[in-house]
Amino acid sequence: MLRITSRQNPRLKEAAGLVASARDRRQAGRCVLEGEHLVEVYAQRVGAPETLVLAESFLERPGVAALARRFDERALVVPNALFHEMAVLPADVGVLAVVPAPRLAVTPGAVTAAAAAIRGSVIVTECDQSRTLSEICGCHLWLKFENLQFTSTFKERGALNRLLALSPDERRRGVIAMSAGNHAQGVAYHAHRLGIPAVIVMPVGTPMVKIENTRRHGAETIISGKTLEEAAEFARAHGKAEKLTMVHPYDDPHVIAGQGTIALEMLQAVP
């Protein structure tokens, strides 16, 4: 690692320039990760950051020291004052990394395509201004009434868009989802409507009304796991064994695009 004490050090100037560039929204090539946890997760899942900058006093933390050792040649250690002058971060953040900006998995075009796909199967709900909330918040605040959807939640938008993207073979074999309620009902309702077998895994402690609503929509319901994480582990294993397609509640580009159709309707209602 390289310890820097002077503002005039070329490496510090280079790092400061990278940070400034990554923070500029007009520059899409890089982004900044702030905090040792985010940097560690990135290092584990993706690889080495382009530049790693650490506040000197934070080297006392085992996790930060380990990061510095792992990326020795890329790590710049600077005095706390210089770090926060360069990064403009809270005092409890002493690690940042400049990394290549990820490519968007969901584009505006994907959201527009999702809107066309689900049109007619979900309600274009009203988007009205709330005078009361606007006065409380000191701004013009508008509400989108997604509680008027058949399952009383926006979640069915993403669920439906994912189901419509299934291949004929995937439709025949069926789907599996993990949810404590709203996503479960959206998947169950639209899967039943489309003739797709559905299995929903719900954790122990899920409100009985949501379990019953999910069953009433025609899905096989399995109660497993004390937490959503444990329910997800069971769903992945069960889905793999039964060759079912997972309909994840949020970590899926089709689901994300489906939920994004709300924004298109809001922008149309309130340009």
Side-chain angles (χ1 to χ4, degrees), residues 24-145:
D24 187 345
R25 293 185 179 181
R26 294 170 298 179
Q27 304 291 332
R30 298 184 178 94
C31 62
V32 177
L33 302 179
E34 301 170 355
E36 57 205 80
H37 177 68
L38 278 179
V39 176
E40 175 63 30
V41 171
Y42 180 89
Q44 290 178 353
R45 297 186 178 182
V46 181
E50 187 173 342
T51 296
L52 180 66
V53 186
L54 311 103
E56 190 171 30
S57 67
F58 279 71
L59 283 177
E60 299 173 1
R61 300 186 181 186
V64 175
L67 280 172
R69 288 192 298 270
R70 186 185 310 176
F71 305 113
D72 188 32
E73 295 182 0
R74 300 173 186 265
L76 305 180
V77 180
V78 303
N80 284 21
L82 286 182
F83 177 87
H84 291 288
E85 180 180 304
M86 176 180 68
V88 194
L89 293 171
D92 61 346
V93 177
V95 178
L96 68 82
V98 177
V99 301
R103 295 184 62 183
L104 292 176
V106 180
T107 64
V111 178
T112 302
I118 68 175
R119 185 176 296 124
S121 298
V122 298
I123 300 171
V124 178
T125 55
E126 295 182 8
C127 185
D128 296 330
Q129 186 174 17
S130 169
R131 289 184 293 177
T132 301
L133 291 178
S134 295
E135 291 175 2
I136 292 173
C137 298
C139 63
H140 297 294
L141 196 149
W142 299 72
L143 301 178
K144 185 90 164 111
F145 291 90

Side-chain angles (χ1 to χ4, degrees), residues 14 31 43 126 170 219 228 238:
E14 179 186 356
C31 62
E126 295 182 8
E170 288 172 331
L228 279 173
H238 187 72

Side-chain angles (χ1 to χ4, degrees), residues 121 159-160 163-164 166 171 188-197:
S121 298
L160 174 57
L163 292 172
L164 292 174
L166 295 173
R171 285 192 176 213
Y189 168 61
H190 285 290
H192 180 71
R193 191 176 61 79
L194 295 170
I196 301 171

Side-chain angles (χ1 to χ4, degrees), residues 185-209:
Q185 293 175 73
V187 173
Y189 168 61
H190 285 290
H192 180 71
R193 191 176 61 79
L194 295 170
I196 301 171
V199 177
I200 308 295
V201 181
M202 310 179 88
V204 175
T206 299
M208 185 54 65
V209 64

Side-chain angles (χ1 to χ4, degrees), residues 253-266:
H254 292 291
V255 172
I256 296 170
Q259 317 302 32
T261 60
I262 299 174
L264 295 182
E265 293 175 15
M266 294 179 74

